[in-house]
Structure formats: C-alpha cells, structure tokens
Amino acid sequence: MQLLANIIVLGAIYALISCGYVLIYRVSRVLNLAHGELMMVGAYLLLTTAGMIPNPWIAIPVAGLLSLAMGALVYLLLMRRMTGESVLAAILTTIALGILLRGVVVIFFSAAHQYPSVPLGLHASSVEVLPGARISSLSLVLVVVTALVYGSLFAFLRLSRWGLRMRAAGQNPLLAAQRGINLHGIYAMVWGIAIFTGSIAGMLISLDAGLDQTLIMIGLKAFPGALVGGLDSLLGALVGSLIVAAAEVLLIQYVNPLLADVVPFLILIAMLVFRPWGLFGTREALDRV
Amino acid sequence: MNRTIALAAAAGLFGTAASAQDAYRIGLSGALTGPTAGSYAPAIEGFQLYIDRLNEAGGIDGHPVELIVLDDSGEASRGATNSRRLLGQEDVLLMINASLSSTFAPMMADASRAGVPLLFAASACPAEVFPPAQPLFYCTTAFGAVYDSRATLDFIEAQAGSDISLGLSAMAIPLSRGEIEAAEGLASERGMRPQAPTIVPPPTADYTPFATSISQAGADWVYSWAPWVTEVRTFEALRRLGWEGEYIAWAHLEAEGELARLQDPGFHAIGANSLFAEDLPVHQEIRAAAEAAGATYSPDQMAEGWVAGLVVEAALRGAGWPATAESVNAAMSQLDVDTQGLRGGPIQWSAENHFRATQYYRVYRWDADQSAIEVVQDWTPYTVE
Amino acid sequence: MSKTKLLALILAAAALLALPFTVSGAWMDIANQILLASIGALALMLLTGFAGQISLGHAGLLAAGAFTAGILSRELGAPFWVGIPAAGLTGALLGVIFGLPSLRLRGIYLAVSTLALHFLVVYLGGEYETRRGFSTGILIDPPMVFGIELWDPFAWYPVLLVGAILTYALSRNLLKSRTGRAWAAIHDTEPVAAALGINVARTKLWAFVITSAITAMAGALFAYYRGFVSIEAFSLFVTIQYVAMIIIGGMGSLTGAVLGAAFVTLLPHLIEGATRYLPTGGAISGSVFAMNYAAFGLIMIAFLVFEPGGLMGIARRLKGRG
C-alpha cells in the first residue's frame, strides 16, 4: 500500500513537470531544456511573493500568474526569433537560457537553501491516504493539483476554441496560419501554460522540501517519463511518468536504491529501440524533426 | 567594442593590477556557483570577511593579506585550471580548497609539484591529512571520516544500548557512501543490527521511497552522514511515514537554522562547531562583520570560514616576513590555534597529524519545552592517532 | 591557394610556434585547453555539422576515453602509447552502440538516446570509482614522451598541438573522401542518398564510430593532461559546451570548430577579466561569479539569435564586405 502511494506521488511529480515539455513540443516542436530552470525561477517567484504577502492564498496564485507571464515572455522575447532555425539551435537556445537563469537566480537569491513554506506558515503533516499508507499533506495536494491540471488541459484542448487552434498549429502550422490563426499568439500562450504548470510543480516541491538549485535536476529527471509516453501526447506523459515512477520506487525497495538514477534512462533506451515514438506518441512525429 | 572588452579582459588576467608587493598572497578555489554552492559559499564568504577584517586592522605586522578567490562550480576541471593559475600565475604562498571532493585530486597533484601548502576548509578532509599525514596537506573542516561515525555510534550506544536496529542513509557520492559503509562495519562490531545502507542519488524529487525501505526494516535509530539535503529530507520523509524512531545526522553549517525549523526532539545533530545561539564573543564578532559587509549568507553558516581564517592568520604570522611557501608550510606543521570557542578545543597540527590532535564532538537537538536548541552531550574529546 | 590565404596560414603557424615563448604558464594552460577542446569539437563537427547526426553523448564519450586511459594506467601501469589507442578502440566500440539508435531515430529522439547512453557511461564510471575506493578520482602519473616527462603545460603544448593538427588534417581528408561525400548526401536527404546507392546505415555508423574514436582519444589526452580522472568532470554541461562550440563556430566548417573551441574556452576568462573592471559596489565575490555564469548564457543566446552562422558566418560577411 505504501509503495502504491509512493508510486502515485512520484508519478504525479514527474507528470506535473513533464506536461510542460509535452505542451511546448507538441505545438512548436521545440524541446525546452530550460524547463527545469524556469520551474526553479517559478519557485523563487513564490519565495518572493511569500516574503511580501505571507498568505498562501494570495502568494501562490500571484506567483502562478507571474510564471504564466514569464513563459509567454520567454517565447515573445526569445524563442520567437528562433523560428525557422535548426532543431539543434533551438534546443541550444533553451540550454543557454537555462545557464543564464541559473546565474541570475544566484545573483538575486544566493545559493543558500531556502524555505518558502516558512513565511507562509505552512507545515506539511502526515496524512493516511490508504490503510497503512501515509504521505505528506503537500504530496496529497500535489497529486490533486496534477489531476486538476491534466483534467483541465484535456478539456481545454478538446473543447475550447483556443485549444482547437493550438492543436491545429501543432499539426500544420502553415495551414493554420493561412486560416488566420495568430501563430505567435498561440505559441506564447502555450509557453505560458507550460511554464505555469512547471512552476506550480516547482512551488509545491519547494514548499515541501525547500528550494535551491537542485530543483533543476529534478526537472530533468521528469523528462524520461514524457519521452516514454511519447513527446507529443499528454496522456503519454501521464502514463510514462507513472511507469518511470513505478520502476524507480520498486527498484529502491527491492533491488538497489542506486539504480534509481539510471533506470529511467534504461527504460528510455528500451523504448527508443522498440517504439521510438513512445507509447502514445504519433509515428509521424519522428519524421518531422 | 569587442576589442575593448578583450583587451580589458586580457589585462585583468595578466596583471592583478593593484597587487601590493608587500602583501601575503593566498588563493582559494571553491564552489561559489553550481548546484552545491549552498554548502561552500557561506564558508567562503566567512573566510573573506575574516581576511577583510584582518586587513582593516593593519594586516599581519603591517603586511596585508591578498586573497585571490576563484570559482570552480564544484567541477574538477575548473578546479585544476584554478590551481594552475594560482600557482603558475599568482604565485600564492598557500592554496585553500573549499569545494567538492572531485576537485581534490588535481589540486593536490599541483600543490605537491609546486611545494605549496594546501588547506581544505569547508570541504571534506581527505585521508592524506590524517596521521600519518603527507606534507603540504592540511584540513580545518569540522567533519572527519571514521571519527565522526565512531563518536556517533558511541552516542547512540550511550542513549539506547547496542541492542538496536540501525538504519543508515548516505548520498550517492563516494565520500558519503564510504563513511556510511564504514559505519555499518563499526556498528556490527558493537553488536548493533545495521541495515544495508540506503544510498540516495543526489537529485531526488521525493525521498519517501527511500524512507519507506528504512522504516519498513524497523529502524530504532537512523544515522546519516551526507550533505545536508539528504540528511534532513530523509528524516522529514521518515516522519511523514509515521516513523517515530530517533535520528542522528552530521551538523553541517545549515544545522543551526534547520534544528529550529524542524523543531523535532527526535532529530539529533552531531557536530564539532559551536552554535551561534551560545552567543560567545566570537559569534558576536562574526555577526558584526557580516552585518557591516552586507553579507549574502547568514552569519551562523560562517563558522567554518572563520576557523579557516584564524588558522591562516596564525600560519602567516608563524611564517614571518618575507614569507615563502616553505616557511608557511613549516609554520603550519607545528600550529596551535585557539578557536575561541568555535570548536571544543584548539586546532593543533604536528608533522604527523594535519587534521587536529584532538577532535571534539557535541550533540544538539531541539528542546520543545524551552523552544530552543539544547546540548544533549557536551564536548567529548577523541584523540586522533 | 590564394596568396592572402597562404600568408594567413604562415602567420598563424608562426603565432602558434611563438606562443610558448611569449606567454605565462597560466596562459599556456588555457592554450592547451583550447587545443584539447578543438580535437573534441572537430570530432563532433564531423558528426553533426557534416553527417547531420545530433549527439548529446559527447561528455559520455570523453569520459569513456578518460576512464580507459585511467584504468589501464592505474591497474596495469600501461604507458601513454597504449592508453591513447586503447581509448580510441573503446570509443570506436561505443560509437557502434551510440550509432545504433541513429538507424531508426532522428532529430530530438536521437539526441535523447545518446543522452541516455551518457548517463550509463557516467553511472559505470562512478561505480568503478566507488568500488575501487578512488573516491576523489583516479590519479595518473605524468606520461613520458621521447624521454620527456609531460607535466608542465609548456611540455604538453607541442604534443597537443600535433594532436590537434593531425585531427584537423584527418578530418579534412576524410571529408574529401568517399565517406565524406556520403555524409554530405545523407545530411541533405536520406532517401535521395539511398537512391544514389549509398548504404545509409553503414554511412551513419561510420560517422558515429569515427567521431567516437577521436572523442575518446581526446578524453584520454584530457586525463593524461590533468593527471587524474573523475567522473564528476564529465557532466552534461561538458556536452553543452561542445555543442555550443560547433554552433558558435559555425556549422559545417572545420575551422569553425576550432574557432568555437577557442571562443568557448576563453569566454569565462574574458568575462572574469571584464567583470574586474565593473563597479561591484563592495559585493562579496559570490555574486560576481554568478554574473560570469549568467553572462556565458547571455553571450550564447546572443550568438544563436543574432549570428546563427556563428563565427564563420561573421568571417564570411567581413570577407564579402572587404
């Protein structure tokens, strides 16, 4: 039971982070390797707002809105200029952005380990979710938030007009542009949403565990999940994250905790050999890049 | 435009323009940026503050100490570049390493070649500084391999006897794994029942899976000797699983603030530094210096750097003027520095021992009634042989 | 060869030869790092810039070469002359493994599969270090070449210079050969290349094997040069630096790879030098270093956005104007 709870929590963390990779890739075919850094900046935004307004009901939404704006700005100011450049150049731009952000964060916030939960007066308590299985209350919040995010993303993509436009832009940008869809607007929105979800993940993790630069590495560790599921499928990101989380938790418990670090990538290699487009990805995505 | 920058940069690299001829030159390479900076940068800042204060007070017999600080981000190759630069270009009398253990090997090789002493401060003490010590390598850092585990297990035994199941937690870096594996052996010798060590990879999103395996194995006590993140997050994950045992971890520079944050009497921190809550004159001095300089880091994380400052000042004084690398090394190999209460006793070095003659340990925990940190076990000396 | 080009070449050769007599040890060390980086960047340029295959496993390959040399030297006392070719062989073997996914994958998917292999190599290296108790890295004694002990950067310079020139010459010849033309063909369009009778799979594998062998030898040289091997020295950041070198230098140009290697190696030093003259207002140096880090990212972004052709692009434009 405890193991199941652990798998679900870890899977939710990975899934909440990796939907940002998928959203951006699906619509603009760019792999955003600065996702971990942007997620960290989102968490530092919370640290800042928490320092000014010590009320979680205000500080968290304000930081969330700021991160939404940050995502859109990253597209409008930087990534927009990379349209038409090679895949590698676009990836490298995101990496360069990541390096820049790491430095900037140290300048403004120093490298010390800090706790946004302290000014907000939040304390994680232990909750019994299943008979014999306990998790931290913040982990419970994280699982619920992940479910909400995925639920609303599915609904948004399927049902709303903007969602339809997003899908159209992802499938055939040229045609979409000819039909009068504002591509830059769509892309900016997608970047905004992606960084928003990533930042929420960063905020929740840092409320539980504190905040420093290691958050970036966690952002990177969520990536195999997205790939196992298929980089252009949201459902895939969810399932893939759960698979990777399950493998990790079971190995830690029964084999050797050290393997936890490599196994996501082993699953990834197996996946790339047998079904490179991922569990739920579309096959033609392979040829497009 | 580009050319001006290049020229300015070249000038910067060639000449440390304002370098006074009458100064003691020392160099430091440390992890000021990068993912592990949080464990080293505060100590480096403390060291810089000490040297600045020393210079403001007129230096050493009228000679200022010129400190060259280089960043290695905790990367071995940058550490190597830095040590070549400090030795080949800046001609320093003494090098200081405040970084990850992966930077040790290149700096040690270069220091040996050049015959310049190398002090480890805030970074782990390598085997070479323990008796029989190799010449040129010294260490002021509070923690020391094997002695820490011995003191910890003594404490656990005094508290709970030896009929206990002992959980062990390490980070997946060689240093921490090695120490915890050594502790496993020591615990077996005492008749304790140690679990197989749980080794946590550094970037970990959720510590619960690791804590689950410790908790389900039924640990009464858990001992962790690792970077602070691993120590404290394993503990927090254990508590959230409903585990009610006792936990002991090495008191890194974060310890003081963290004990107050956790407020859990079951969390023991064993360490060799005194805490700022004691408010000794030396603590007030560090606070004042940090405040005056507008320091980035909290003064209660600067003790390591201050201790290094005390030692470096004593070494340079002992070397006299004009100092050479040899005279500094000679002074260091017979040093006796009063730590003014920052440690349980003096730091004494001899030709054989570059760690310290006696290592003192204290155990702290949070006292819920007093709402303050209490000393569970006062300074306990261990002779280093 | 035109007269100006010949003149430029002679000047460059003279400068390279005169360098050791005019600079300090620290600058010599930086020059050596540039030469080492050039070898690795040339290898990556062959793969990415000419054969069109993306790899994010470069640091893993450097690590594999460095560890081969380190383990051979430490466990068997093998000399320099054995360590370097052995590293090359390990690299070639790994190249086959790294290259296999390329038969099915392209673009981002290929990049990620090489990234996964990077983590595997790093894991194995770390396990070796821990198991053998080399927790602070494996020390390697300075190699002897023609009876000279290679420790001093001045002693290393000629060796590394020869290594870099050999790599450059080899790459040039390779590109003129059948293999090079086949690479160019698969770079443009694979189906057309196949229609032309080029064995696409074999051509791709060759590209990976050659690149990996050279990279692993560069890794081994790095290990001998530094006198130690430690797995922490081969983080993902190293891969990023190499990819940055070939992009900043200019894709599809060997000279670009060398220029990029020089630029990326020098950049932190230039930034550090430049920031010394900025008013820091008494700030403690920690934030100065964070500024260096940020500036590195900023300059990379500036190149990618404003000068996608890289340094070679700038050079071509200047030439076109003049």
Side-chain angles (χ1 to χ4, degrees):
Chain A
M1 273 302 148
Q2 182 65 52
L3 289 186
L4 185 65
N6 289 351
I7 292 172
I8 290 173
V9 170
L10 190 61
I13 295 176
Y14 287 165
L16 190 55
I17 299 171
S18 59
C19 77
Y21 286 112
V22 170
L23 281 172
I24 291 175
Y25 182 77
R26 180 179 165 137
V27 176
S28 62
R29 302 287 144 187
V30 169
L31 181 60
N32 175 23
L33 284 182
H35 197 57
E37 280 88 352
L38 286 162
M39 174 180 130
M40 171 182 71
V41 174
Y44 274 107
L45 287 175
L46 175 62
L47 188 72
T48 316
T49 57
M52 291 190 283
I53 319 156
N55 178 341
W57 300 108
I58 302 173
I60 298 176
V62 169
L65 283 177
L66 285 174
S67 58
L68 189 79
M70 171 174 72
L73 281 178
V74 166
Y75 176 76
L76 291 174
L77 297 180
L78 178 64
M79 295 314 290
R80 192 163 71 126
R81 298 169 180 275
M82 296 312 290
T83 13
E85 298 293 340
S86 74
V87 179
L88 197 60
I91 298 182
L92 200 69
T93 309
T94 65
I95 292 175
L97 174 68
I99 295 175
L100 172 66
L101 290 176
R102 285 181 200 202
V104 168
V105 161
V106 178
I107 294 174
F108 285 105
F109 299 97
S110 92
H113 198 82
Q114 294 169 77
Y115 290 90
S117 54
V118 173
L120 294 176
L122 289 177
H123 284 286
S125 53
S126 178
V127 190
E128 185 154 6
V129 277
L130 294 163
R134 299 186 146 270
I135 60 174
S136 131
S137 51
L138 275 164
S139 302
L140 186 65
V141 172
L142 196 134
V143 173
V144 172
V145 167
T146 308
L148 280 176
V149 162
Y150 271 83
S152 37
L153 277 176
F154 282 127
F156 181 69
L157 284 176
R158 292 275 141 78
L159 305 175
S160 78
R161 245 166 56 159
W162 278 99
L164 197 71
R165 287 178 185 166
M166 260 170 71
R167 287 198 294 163
Q171 268 158 13
N172 193 333
L174 195 67
L175 201 64
Q178 283 170 349
R179 289 289 158 84
I181 294 179
N182 177 1
L183 278 185
H184 288 312
I186 296 276
Y187 288 162
M189 183 179 73
V190 170
W191 273 83
I193 297 174
I195 302 313
F196 171 75
T197 54
S199 298
I200 293 291
M203 290 175 205
L204 289 173
I205 294 173
S206 64
L207 280 176
D208 201 8
L211 176 57
D212 62 15
Q213 301 240 332
T214 45
L215 200 55
I216 300 165
M217 307 298 289
I218 294 170
L220 205 64
K221 272 192 89 178
F223 179 59
L227 251 152
V228 167
L231 253 186
D232 59 349
S233 158
L234 267 182
L235 181 64
L238 192 60
V239 178
S241 300
L242 280 171
I243 292 177
V244 171
E248 244 186 276
V249 169
L250 294 176
L251 279 164
I252 291 168
Q253 183 76 12
Y254 296 112
V255 191
N256 181 352
L258 269 180
L259 286 173
D261 230 11
V262 230
V263 161
F265 289 96
L266 282 179
I267 300 178
L268 189 59
I269 292 178
M271 201 66 210
L272 288 168
V273 170
F274 295 109
R275 205 182 149 87
W277 51 92
L279 284 175
F280 295 89
T282 39
R283 195 165 184 164
E284 58 274 27
L286 264 187
D287 298 321
R288 234 183 273 166
V289 283
Chain B
M1 169 68 192
N2 278 335
R3 184 171 294 169
T4 9
I5 289 180
L7 280 180
L13 201 56
F14 273 121
T16 28
S19 79
Q21 283 301 309
D22 62 343
Y24 289 98
R25 281 189 135 196
I26 58 173
L28 180 148
S29 170
L32 282 159
T33 57
T36 53
S39 310
Y40 300 100
I44 298 171
E45 193 173 42
F47 183 66
Q48 284 176 309
L49 288 176
Y50 186 94
I51 299 294
D52 287 349
R53 213 193 48 134
L54 180 66
N55 287 335
E56 273 161 31
I60 297 171
D61 297 331
H63 300 284
V65 176
E66 191 190 342
L67 170 65
I68 298 148
V69 176
L70 301 175
D71 175 33
D72 63 23
S73 288
E75 289 167 27
S77 42
R78 293 188 57 187
T81 313
N82 289 348
S83 73
R84 296 260 162 117
R85 179 165 151 204
L86 290 174
L87 296 171
Q89 175 113 26
E90 312 283 1
D91 286 322
V92 296
L93 296 166
L94 164 68
M95 275 208 297
I96 297 152
N97 175 305
S99 188
L100 283 183
S101 53
S102 54
T103 63
F104 289 7
M107 283 189 83
M108 285 164 81
D110 289 350
S112 301
R113 281 268 169 177
V116 171
L118 171 61
L119 173 69
F120 296 89
S123 41
C125 296
E128 285 81 354
V129 305
F130 290 95
Q134 285 184 21
L136 297 172
F137 306 134
Y138 302 86
C139 185
T140 56
T141 313
F143 51 101
V146 188
Y147 288 94
D148 294 353
S149 291
R150 204 172 287 164
T152 306
L153 292 174
D154 280 345
F155 173 74
I156 296 177
E157 203 170 337
Q159 297 278 313
S162 61
D163 182 26
I164 54 157
S165 167
L166 180 69
L168 295 163
S169 144
M171 188 191 261
I173 52 173
L175 203 70
S176 167
R177 275 177 78 177
E179 180 69 9
I180 283 297
E181 276 158 18
E184 189 186 3
L186 288 173
S188 298
E189 284 170 23
R190 288 158 193 257
M192 294 177 177
R193 297 186 304 280
Q195 298 173 8
T198 301
I199 297 160
V200 187
T204 296
D206 187 7
Y207 280 67
T208 323
F210 301 96
T212 306
S213 72
I214 296 177
S215 157
Q216 290 186 349
D220 303 309
W221 274 79
V222 173
Y223 168 42
S224 178
W225 195 90
W228 186 256
V229 237
T230 302
E231 293 181 351
V232 73
R233 291 195 56 197
T234 309
F235 172 74
E236 286 180 297
L238 275 166
R239 277 291 186 256
R240 278 163 208 168
L241 286 171
W243 179 76
E244 280 169 353
E246 306 272 315
Y247 195 95
I248 185 162
W250 181 257
H252 289 285
L253 37 76
E254 298 92 340
E256 185 156 8
E258 293 276 285
L259 281 168
R261 184 183 65 84
L262 289 170
Q263 305 201 341
D264 189 321
F267 184 89
H268 302 76
I270 180 165
N273 283 333
S274 62
L275 299 188
F276 278 64
E278 243 178 279
D279 213 25
L280 297 172
V282 66
H283 293 136
Q284 293 165 3
E285 221 176 305
I286 300 175
R287 273 213 189 94
E291 203 167 305
T296 315
Y297 294 96
S298 158
D300 63 36
Q301 303 193 356
M302 291 178 181
E304 276 309 325
W306 207 263
V307 170
L310 289 167
V311 165
V312 167
E313 185 189 347
L316 295 178
R317 270 190 204 288
W321 182 265
T324 61
E326 287 113 276
S327 67
V328 174
N329 186 44
M332 285 173 94
S333 65
Q334 45 178 338
L335 204 72
D336 187 344
V337 180
D338 177 7
T339 54
Q340 302 175 5
L342 287 172
R343 296 272 168 85
I347 290 182
Q348 290 168 312
W349 287 333
S350 63
E352 277 290 287
N353 184 344
H354 296 170
F355 178 64
R356 60 221 64 158
T358 314
Q359 163 87 328
Y360 300 85
Y361 291 98
R362 239 187 196 175
V363 182
Y364 302 97
R365 73 166 173 190
W366 184 256
D367 181 346
D369 300 331
Q370 303 283 318
S371 248
I373 295 169
E374 67 166 333
V375 175
V376 193
Q377 178 187 286
D378 209 2
W379 296 120
T380 314
Y382 284 78
T383 309
V384 178
E385 295 162 327
Chain C
M1 200 181 277
S2 71
K3 246 182 190 167
T4 42
K5 214 169 174 184
L6 191 70
L7 192 71
L9 208 64
I10 291 172
L11 275 177
L16 285 174
L17 287 176
L19 197 64
F21 303 101
T22 49
V23 299
S24 69
W27 273 107
M28 199 75 258
D29 181 44
I30 292 172
N32 286 340
Q33 286 180 48
I34 293 175
L35 292 173
L36 276 169
S38 301
I39 300 178
L42 282 168
L44 189 62
M45 184 63 92
L46 288 179
L47 185 72
T48 307
F50 291 98
Q53 308 298 308
I54 299 180
S55 165
L56 291 179
H58 215 59
L61 286 168
L62 286 168
F67 267 82
T68 308
I71 292 171
L72 282 176
S73 146
R74 187 71 185 222
E75 307 279 353
L76 305 171
F80 187 64
W81 299 118
V82 177
I84 298 287
L89 271 180
T90 313
L93 201 69
L94 274 175
V96 178
I97 302 173
F98 271 54
L100 280 178
S102 75
L103 304 184
R104 284 191 74 170
L105 305 176
R106 259 181 291 158
I108 286 168
Y109 288 84
L110 177 58
V112 173
S113 74
T114 53
L115 185 64
L117 286 163
H118 160 88
F119 282 103
L120 271 186
V121 172
V122 167
Y123 170 76
L124 291 176
E127 277 303 289
Y128 170 79
E129 272 184 52
T130 323
R131 294 270 152 86
R132 294 286 286 115
F134 300 136
S135 55
T136 53
I138 310 164
L139 284 176
I140 304 174
D141 295 328
M144 302 289 287
V145 173
F146 302 125
I148 300 165
E149 188 188 35
L150 294 181
W151 181 79
D152 194 42
F154 291 96
W156 266 104
Y157 179 73
V159 177
L160 295 176
L161 186 62
V162 168
I165 289 173
L166 275 180
T167 313
Y168 186 87
L170 181 82
S171 308
R172 252 184 95 100
N173 283 330
L174 208 62
L175 289 176
K176 283 185 186 154
S177 75
R178 245 183 93 99
T179 321
R181 288 197 302 273
W183 285 352
I186 60 165
H187 188 176
D188 294 340
T189 41
E190 281 183 25
V192 176
L196 287 171
I198 292 169
N199 184 336
V200 175
R202 207 172 60 190
T203 310
K204 278 186 182 176
L205 273 186
W206 255 123
F208 270 96
V209 167
I210 291 172
T211 294
S212 309
I214 300 175
T215 310
M217 286 196 274
L221 275 174
F222 176 84
Y224 282 115
Y225 179 64
R226 283 297 179 220
F228 82 103
V229 190
S230 154
I231 202 63
E232 281 98 340
F234 301 97
S235 64
L236 204 54
F237 190 65
V238 173
T239 300
I240 294 171
Q241 283 177 314
Y242 276 93
V243 176
M245 286 173 200
I246 61 171
I247 290 203
I248 288 175
M251 274 294 175
S253 154
L254 290 179
T255 319
V258 178
L259 288 178
F263 187 83
V264 171
T265 314
L266 282 173
L267 190 59
H269 300 282
L270 295 181
I271 296 171
E272 199 187 315
T275 44
R276 282 195 191 190
Y277 295 91
L278 290 178
T280 49
I284 299 291
S285 53
S287 54
V288 176
F289 291 107
M291 253 158 68
N292 292 352
Y293 206 80
F296 183 66
L298 205 61
I299 289 176
M300 257 172 80
I301 292 178
F303 255 98
L304 288 158
V305 172
F306 299 112
E307 195 49 70
L311 292 168
M312 284 312 280
I314 298 179
R316 273 187 215 113
R317 261 217 315 276
L318 287 179
K319 212 190 236 169
R321 205 179 293 161

